């Protein structure tokens, strides 16, 4: 049942530009991930690595045109994206968001945290066209250490009165003594259709291309704008990051998922 919550990870925005048939990489992520609910995936520990590419286009991408997406890093590190739909079981592939008209790739490395250094992601099309982006990982364990020492609480959780349905605010505790960026996602929870949780019905999008913008900095709540269904169970979680720029994220912490539903009264 709870595997559905993990299919929701992780919608990350790209910079949308004019769309060629074979668009270049728009932005990349190469970061470490601490995944609280790792046991519901094929990961064998909380610590993993994550890579993402978005495309420099305002249209969905024909993934059949892609030959390969590869990662190279320090000390001979290499990783390969799979050209397949992303799922909880493979943890590598593409998400084709029809509603948002966007395609992006993500891939996890289950072998643990990455070493600091420069990581280069190369996108190669079958035509021979190649697009390359790099970023330098500069991970420090300061944020994760503070997180492990904290005992956060979350609201809402559990059964709610039906009168609250149009006034839901997601709230969480901040990690004490350290600045961080927080982003919340809310999904419908349908245990019969885990894939339905891939795309959130609410995404508190904090990501920016401007380092001077502090979207999400020490944010402790997100208002749900949607009209919710009183007969549906919902699940939400907060992601904690050390940056709100995709190519500057060094650590992402996926906090425990929270469920809520409404009484009949």
């Amino acid at each position: 049942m709870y595997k559905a919550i993990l299919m929701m990870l992780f919608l990350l925005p790209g910079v949308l530009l004019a769309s060629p048939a074979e668009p270049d990489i728009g932005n990349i992520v190469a970061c470490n991930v601490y995944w609280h609910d790792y046991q519901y995936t094929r990961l064998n520990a909380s610590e993993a690595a994550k890579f993402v590419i978005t495309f420099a286009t305002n249209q969905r991408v024909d993934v059949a045109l892609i030959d390969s997406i590869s990662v190279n890093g320090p000390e001979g590190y290499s990783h390969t994206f799979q050209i397949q739909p992303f799922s909880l079981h493979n943890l590598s592939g593409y998400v084709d968001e029809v509603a948002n008209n966007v395609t992006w790739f993500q891939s996890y490395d289950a072998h643990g945290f990455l070493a600091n250094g420069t990581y280069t992601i190369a996108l190669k099309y079958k035509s021979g066209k190649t697009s390359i982006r790099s970023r330098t990982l500069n991970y420090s364990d300061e944020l994760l250490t503070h997180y492990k020492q904290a005992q956060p609480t979350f609201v809402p959780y559990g059964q709610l009165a039906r009168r609250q349905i149009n006034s839901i605010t997601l709230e969480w505790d901040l990690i004490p003594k350290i600045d961080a960026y927080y982003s919340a996602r809310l999904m419908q929870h349908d245990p019969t259709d885990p894939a339905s949780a891939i795309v959130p019905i609410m995404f508190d999008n904090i990501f920016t291309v401007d380092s001077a913008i502090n979207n999400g900095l020490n944010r402790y709540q997100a208002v749900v704008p949607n009209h919710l269904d009183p007969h549906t169970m919902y699940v939400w979680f907060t992601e904690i990051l050390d940056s709100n720029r995709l190519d500057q994220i060094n650590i992402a912490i996926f906090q425990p998922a929270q469920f809520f539903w409404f009484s009949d009264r």
Side-chain angles (χ1 to χ4, degrees), residues 98-254:
V98 177
N100 297 322
N101 202 41
V102 63
T103 304
W104 54 279
F105 277 79
Q106 64 180 343
S107 187
Y108 288 83
D109 183 344
H111 292 93
F113 280 0
L114 299 170
N116 283 340
T118 299
Y119 289 83
T120 299
I121 300 181
L123 163 67
K124 182 179 179 181
Y125 288 97
K126 293 176 181 177
S127 68
K129 176 182 175 179
T130 300
S131 178
I132 297 174
R133 290 286 296 269
S134 298
R135 64 96 36 168
T136 299
L137 181 71
N138 186 25
Y139 170 72
S140 161
D141 64 1
E142 183 181 15
L143 178 57
L144 184 56
T145 297
H146 279 80
Y147 171 75
K148 290 179 177 179
Q149 295 170 348
Q151 295 182 322
T153 59
F154 305 90
V155 177
Y157 180 83
Q159 183 169 288
L160 308 179
R162 189 164 179 171
R163 66 177 179 275
Q164 297 177 260
I165 195 166
N166 293 320
S167 58
I168 299 295
T169 299
L170 310 179
E171 300 180 47
W172 54 89
D173 294 332
L174 300 178
I175 301 175
K177 301 178 183 179
I178 190 167
D179 289 332
Y181 296 85
Y182 296 77
S183 176
R185 292 164 174 81
L186 172 69
M187 287 68 55
Q188 290 184 339
H189 177 62
D190 181 358
T192 67
D193 184 15
S196 67
I198 291 177
V199 180
I201 61 173
M202 190 212 80
F203 170 38
D204 184 27
N205 187 350
I206 66 170
F207 297 103
T208 178
V209 296
D210 188 343
S211 59
I213 296 176
N214 285 326
N215 291 344
L217 180 63
N218 297 329
R219 182 171 294 177
Y220 59 89
Q221 64 179 19
V223 176
V224 178
N226 309 72
H227 176 76
L228 303 182
D229 183 345
H231 305 295
T232 297
M233 178 180 283
Y234 292 89
V235 57
W236 66 279
F237 82 105
T238 304
E239 180 180 4
I240 308 172
L241 310 113
D242 66 335
S243 177
N244 63 358
R245 292 190 59 176
L246 298 183
D247 59 0
Q248 294 184 9
I249 298 170
N250 298 296
I251 178 67
I253 300 170
F254 305 151

